[in-house]
Amino acid sequence: MDVDPRQYDHIAINDNDIHNIVLSYLVHNCYKETVDSFISCTGMKQPANCLEDMEMRKRILHFALEGNALKAIELTEELAQDLLEKNKDLHFDLLSLHFVELVCSRKCTEALEFAQTKLTPFGKVQKYVEKLEDFMALLAYEEPEKSPMFHLLSLEYRQHVADNLNRAILAHAERPRYAAMERLIQQTTAVRQCLSQELGKDVHPPFSLKDFMKS
């Protein structure tokens, strides 16, 4: 459902609002150098807590993405002391990244020992049983990259865990889990989809954010 631009051309958008939305996205994703440049170019005042934990979060996410999950855990416990103790799902995912790294390095004995000491205790809770089975199954393959569980070794999986970790750290500090830009896109997409459904699929095709960005 496309809206005639003439219907919103008269709506004024404050440049400061746009700047704050962009800054929120940059801070959320730890783009420190870009944040400094953006603030300098726009003449914005740097928020008091803008850079407070950005450097530490950046290091944590870097270690998670590069396969050094144990270091990511260590730094997370320094920054948000009780986060992983309370968020067992996230703790399991981070430990699983280290297990995967051992498997990819063909350190199967070490991986098995690590799983027995660090991952197996999660098996007492039913929701982790299937996940544990998938990870342990990787040990049965000489080339785990070609196993049915190959996605667990992918960069996409690490990125997924890192994104969840970043949001959890921000929430622990009582800050938004999502950048303002993400929330605006989510809300816009939800509203447009609802409007498309109400008007009927025969009248308007389902809303596509990808197509909207091209318009």
Side-chain angles (χ1 to χ4, degrees):
M1 184 187 74
D2 294 325
V3 178
D4 189 334
R6 290 173 296 181
Q7 296 184 26
Y8 53 74
D9 274 350
H10 67 284
I11 299 176
I13 304 297
N14 191 304
D15 284 346
N16 287 334
D17 291 337
I18 296 175
H19 292 164
N20 285 325
I21 289 171
V22 173
L23 182 61
S24 164
Y25 178 81
L26 297 175
V27 171
H28 178 92
N29 290 287
C30 305
Y31 298 137
K32 185 178 183 302
E33 293 79 9
T34 309
V35 167
D36 293 338
S37 298
F38 185 73
I39 290 176
S40 176
C41 291
T42 58
M44 296 179 67
K45 291 183 179 180
Q46 184 170 297
N49 63 345
C50 177
L51 307 179
E52 187 173 324
D53 65 356
M54 198 192 316
E55 191 59 42
M56 179 68 93
R57 283 192 295 116
K58 184 176 181 179
R59 292 180 62 201
I60 290 172
L61 300 180
H62 170 77
F63 284 123
L65 288 171
E66 293 300 314
N68 193 345
L70 295 185
K71 187 65 177 178
I73 290 173
E74 177 187 335
L75 294 179
T76 298
E77 290 174 341
E78 288 181 21
L79 182 62
Q81 294 183 359
D82 58 348
L83 171 60
L84 297 181
E85 182 179 344
K86 293 180 178 179
N87 193 331
K88 297 297 184 183
D89 290 351
L90 183 58
H91 195 192
F92 176 87
D93 287 342
L94 286 168
L95 291 171
S96 73
L97 288 184
H98 181 66
F99 174 82
V100 165
E101 188 64 22
L102 293 173
V103 171
C104 290
S105 301
R106 303 300 190 264
K107 298 178 180 179
C108 295
T109 301
E110 190 175 342
L112 182 58
E113 292 174 352
F114 179 81
Q116 290 174 335
T117 57
K118 298 296 185 179
L119 293 178
T120 301
F122 285 87
K124 298 176 183 178
V125 181
Q126 183 59 38
K127 66 178 180 178
Y128 296 114
V129 172
E130 185 175 345
K131 288 185 176 181
L132 278 169
E133 291 175 347
D134 287 343
F135 282 110
M136 295 304 294
L138 291 170
L139 294 172
Y141 294 86
E142 291 185 8
E143 297 181 89
E145 299 84 359
K146 297 180 180 180
S147 72
M149 289 72 63
F150 70 92
H151 63 281
L152 298 174
L153 283 63
S154 67
L155 177 59
E156 288 76 14
Y157 177 71
R158 278 180 282 164
Q159 185 68 61
H160 170 73
V161 175
D163 287 343
N164 287 340
L165 175 57
N166 189 36
R167 294 188 185 110
I169 291 173
L170 289 168
H172 185 271
E174 298 183 345
R175 290 158 63 186
R177 292 173 59 88
Y178 292 88
M181 187 181 299
E182 293 177 281
R183 298 200 305 273
L184 280 171
I185 292 174
Q186 290 169 339
Q187 184 175 1
T188 299
T189 301
V191 170
R192 294 292 294 271
Q193 287 176 341
C194 287
L195 289 174
S196 294
Q197 291 173 0
E198 287 184 8
L199 294 173
K201 295 181 180 179
D202 295 335
V203 179
H204 297 285
F207 174 71
S208 166
L209 179 61
K210 184 177 179 180
D211 291 339
F212 175 76
M213 296 296 289
K214 294 179 180 178
S215 63

